[in-house]
Amino acid sequence: MAYTPTAIVTGASSGVGLHTAKALTTRGWHVVLACRNLEKTVKVASDVGMVEGNYSIFPLDLASLAKVREFVTAFRSTGKNLDALVCNAAVYLPLLKEPMRSVDGYELSVATNHLGHYLLCRLLLEDLQKSQYPDRRVVILGTVTANPKELGGKIPIPAPPDLGDLSGFEQGFKAPIAMINGKPFKAGKAYKDSKLCNVLTMRELHRRFHESTGIVFSSLYPGCVATTGLFRHHFPLFQKLFPLFQKYITGGFVTEELAGERVADLVTDPKYNRSGLYWSWGNRQKQGRESFVQEVSVEASDDAKAVRLWELSEKLVGLA
């Protein structure tokens, strides 16, 4: 009987995560859809044509460190091997004037996008290493807005990503602290910072584990998925105009389906069997546009900062 590889995809109840999951099932994978809203996930998986038996649904709330641990325990109880992990889920709360907090007391976007995924990666490394599958991979979604080396990342509104000296993390990252650099809260910047942390985490995972385990760690920007639910907390006018701007002005627009296929490529295609890289499809999506290795920002390339972020994150999630 042929081996069926298994992937976990976080945030798979909508958008890029849902279509990544579907793309992987059509390529012969079993996919664990890790989501907060199970009832919704059951419906949308059926709506997009995913075949029962090719996927399973597990509850995961990345904003709760206890829930992350519960998810890992529940997954292990199935006895399935783990061959790939896609860290896709994210929250974006650009209109907040005051920070929302996770159940653990951390600013919500960093808690969800970075700390929850950091803990998930750390815990599931054991499972990935046990797998006999020859091409195991961890893919962490990036964003153009967190990388000033990309055109879309040069826009300094509300502020560019900047982790500073990590003093907010150093001080425990609980109220009144809401930013990683310890400075006053800016909601949009908190999101950018969390995604910068994702890239630094990917690079540090690569440095620590690729050579000894063979696991491939990578990130990507699949193009501007302007219709995704990520923007549901933005102004209604922004939600209406942003897709049009990306379609007809920048040319950066991609559909959720195409973005999902691109993420699935990073999981399955031999072309992407190179660890420690950030792949991009660039700002302009022309017919036949190929991916390329995107240069990351000076801060995302800072090895010393990656190490310190790792160490402080380890403490915040209770692993140290």
Side-chain angles (χ1 to χ4, degrees), residues 67-320:
K67 295 295 184 183
V68 173
R69 293 179 182 276
E70 288 177 11
F71 168 82
V72 172
T73 298
F75 171 74
R76 288 175 177 166
S77 72
T78 67
K80 286 185 176 294
N81 289 332
L82 179 63
D83 309 297
L85 170 63
V86 178
C87 297
N88 160 78
V91 296
Y92 176 47
L93 305 164
L95 304 184
L96 291 183
K97 301 302 181 184
E98 298 293 333
M100 293 179 65
R101 298 278 174 181
S102 72
V103 295
D104 302 293
Y106 304 137
E107 188 279 320
L108 188 60
S109 56
V110 172
T112 303
N113 305 347
H114 168 57
L115 291 173
H117 276 132
Y118 173 84
L119 178 59
L120 187 68
C121 288
R122 288 290 303 273
L123 296 177
L124 290 176
L125 273 172
E126 177 183 337
D127 302 78
L128 288 162
Q129 290 180 69
K130 287 179 179 178
S131 168
Q132 299 302 307
Y133 192 67
D135 194 7
R136 296 152 296 155
R137 303 186 188 182
V138 174
V139 177
I140 305 178
L141 272 286
T143 176
V144 66
T145 61
N147 185 11
K149 293 287 186 178
E150 298 186 72
L151 179 61
K154 296 182 185 298
I155 302 171
I157 301 173
D162 171 27
L163 307 184
D165 59 2
L166 302 170
S167 63
F169 269 17
E170 291 268 8
Q171 297 172 68
F173 201 52
K174 292 188 177 181
I177 298 166
M179 300 298 287
I180 295 172
N181 63 8
K183 294 184 179 180
F185 177 67
K186 294 181 179 179
K189 182 182 181 299
Y191 171 77
K192 293 181 183 181
D193 287 350
S194 73
K195 299 305 291 182
L196 171 58
C197 288
N198 287 161
V199 178
L200 284 162
T201 298
M202 178 275 290
R203 294 186 62 254
E204 189 63 9
L205 283 164
H206 163 76
R207 188 186 72 81
R208 289 174 182 254
F209 298 108
H210 172 64
E211 186 173 344
S212 61
T213 68
I215 299 169
V216 171
F217 302 95
S218 58
S219 294
L220 81 156
Y221 171 59
C224 184
V225 192
T227 58
T228 178
L230 182 68
F231 300 110
R232 65 187 178 276
H233 298 294
H234 218 306
F235 291 116
L237 185 60
F238 177 91
Q239 296 178 51
K240 180 178 180 180
L241 296 180
F242 187 57
L244 300 175
F245 178 76
Q246 292 296 335
K247 283 181 180 180
Y248 302 114
I249 304 299
T250 71
F253 178 86
V254 294
T255 64
E256 296 172 9
E257 292 83 356
L258 179 54
E261 292 286 347
R262 288 173 173 175
V263 179
D265 285 345
L266 251 71
V267 175
T268 64
D269 193 326
K271 174 181 178 179
Y272 300 106
N273 192 19
R274 298 163 61 190
S275 189
L277 300 179
Y278 183 101
W279 297 90
S280 178
W281 275 258
N283 194 53
R284 295 192 176 278
Q285 304 302 312
K286 299 177 181 178
Q287 189 69 29
R289 181 67 186 251
E290 294 293 324
S291 61
F292 60 92
V293 176
Q294 170 68 55
E295 181 184 8
V296 297
S297 69
V298 172
E299 192 169 13
S301 304
D302 187 333
D303 291 339
K305 183 164 287 188
V307 171
R308 190 60 183 146
L309 176 67
W310 179 279
E311 293 170 346
L312 292 170
S313 300
E314 189 174 54
K315 291 180 181 179
L316 292 175
V317 303
L319 291 176

Side-chain angles (χ1 to χ4, degrees), residues 41-69:
T41 307
V42 169
K43 181 180 185 304
V44 296
S46 174
D47 289 346
V48 298
M50 294 178 67
V51 178
E52 288 191 25
N54 293 348
Y55 65 93
S56 49
I57 300 170
F58 282 76
L60 173 61
D61 182 357
L62 287 160
S64 166
L65 300 175
K67 295 295 184 183
V68 173
R69 293 179 182 276

